[in-house]
Amino acid sequence: MTDPRRPLTWPDYARAQFRLSWKVFWRNRRSTFIGFLLPVLLDLAVATPLRGKELGGVNAAAYTTLGFVGFALVTAFINLLNGIVARRDDLVLKRLRGTEVPPSAVLAGQFGAAGAVLLLQVLLLGALAVLWFDAPLPTDPLLALVVLGAGFLLFALLAAALSGLTPGAEATPMVATPVLLLSMFAGGVATPVGSLPDWLQAPAHALPLTPVVEALRTAWFGRAFGAESWSGPPLPGLGLLDTWAHAAPSLLLLAAWTAAAAALTRRLFRWEPRHA
């Protein structure tokens, strides 16, 4: 417990915002379904029929499950977008900005709660991949954590930036749905980008989720993912250093997207409703 006689510090404020965002998330059935259960249910529906099949030299069901681990970043984005816009429209953000609470602590607490939900999803989906779909344990856990952390930061910043373009809570589906559909069908989640039409592959590789999914699969399976297709041969295995070298272009693309998202957040983020 916090000593009431001690002046509050930045971690105290961020912790309080974390607890508030955490409680609000789990009390809202809609956010719980979309923000937590949706990737798991979609994975069970899509990956289960693929048991016993191979893609790129690995179990196709486990390959798809790793795609839905990446897709959990999109549901974290939707969770954050909904939460930020709702708090802004209810004037919560405006009131907080008028207090001694640092603005960065407000966002850090909300980002932290979304990150904790994502961690639970990753653990659940990872357990499904290993225990139900017979995936091996991750070849390079450190690279997997780096990719997931970088991907979460990117999608959290995108949520903060796009919240500034969202007129109100009723309009969040109009912003979130295109991101969800593009990520689901062109981000390499359920089907490899190499199986898309030739004219669509280059734009698909440039989407923000694609480098996360490809680098995550490389880190988990130790293979050179990125050019695989359903009809292609098994991908070559990689050594520990080679996995980082192969994932480097994906990490650079993530860094570029993150820098752009940070710039957009600084420019677009609003603490007050448009009509305020």
Side-chain angles (χ1 to χ4, degrees):
M1 294 180 63
T2 302
D3 185 348
R5 297 168 295 180
R6 179 177 64 83
L8 294 178
T9 61
W10 189 95
D12 296 324
Y13 290 119
R15 194 179 304 115
Q17 293 301 312
F18 172 93
R19 291 185 184 131
L20 176 62
S21 298
W22 179 262
K23 290 178 181 178
V24 169
F25 175 83
W26 292 109
R27 288 176 180 174
N28 187 317
R29 293 181 180 178
R30 180 172 176 270
S31 68
T32 302
F33 176 77
I34 296 177
F36 183 75
L37 292 176
L38 184 61
V40 178
L41 295 176
L42 285 175
D43 175 55
L44 288 172
V46 176
T48 300
L50 299 176
R51 297 184 72 180
K53 299 181 181 180
E54 281 201 356
L55 174 57
V58 301
N59 184 313
Y63 171 95
T64 301
T65 299
L66 265 293
F68 280 101
V69 171
F71 184 70
L73 294 172
V74 180
T75 57
F77 159 84
I78 296 172
N79 167 32
L80 278 169
L81 180 65
N82 286 329
I84 292 171
V85 173
R87 297 182 83 190
R88 184 195 69 198
D89 287 0
D90 291 340
L91 302 181
V92 174
L93 295 182
K94 181 180 180 180
R95 289 194 293 268
L96 284 172
R97 203 180 187 195
T99 67
E100 70 276 9
V101 181
S104 58
V106 175
L107 290 180
Q110 197 150 3
F111 285 7
V117 172
L118 174 67
L119 179 59
L120 291 176
Q121 289 175 302
V122 170
L123 292 174
L124 180 55
L125 287 165
L128 275 175
V130 174
L131 301 176
W132 185 248
F133 295 129
D134 300 322
L137 292 174
T139 299
D140 192 337
L142 177 59
L143 177 58
L145 288 174
V146 168
V147 171
L148 283 170
F152 174 73
L153 177 60
L154 165 58
F155 278 91
L157 289 171
L158 281 176
L162 293 180
S163 71
L165 298 177
T166 307
E170 70 283 351
T172 53
M174 296 175 60
V175 177
T177 301
V179 176
L180 186 148
L181 293 177
L182 275 174
S183 300
M184 179 71 183
F185 296 107
V189 172
T191 189
V193 174
S195 294
L196 297 174
D198 291 343
W199 61 272
L200 190 55
Q201 290 184 23
H205 277 293
L207 291 174
L209 185 62
T210 308
V212 176
V213 171
E214 291 180 351
L216 185 59
R217 284 172 174 148
T218 293
W220 195 287
F221 296 110
R223 292 178 182 263
F225 286 101
E228 72 278 4
S229 66
W230 286 104
S231 58
L235 297 173
L238 300 173
L240 193 60
L241 292 179
D242 292 332
T243 59
W244 285 86
H246 183 77
S250 294
L251 293 173
L252 288 174
L253 182 56
L254 273 175
W257 267 107
T258 302
L264 286 173
T265 298
R266 291 177 61 88
R267 183 177 181 84
L268 300 175
F269 186 80
R270 301 171 62 91
W271 293 89
E272 302 178 14
R274 289 178 178 272
H275 54 75

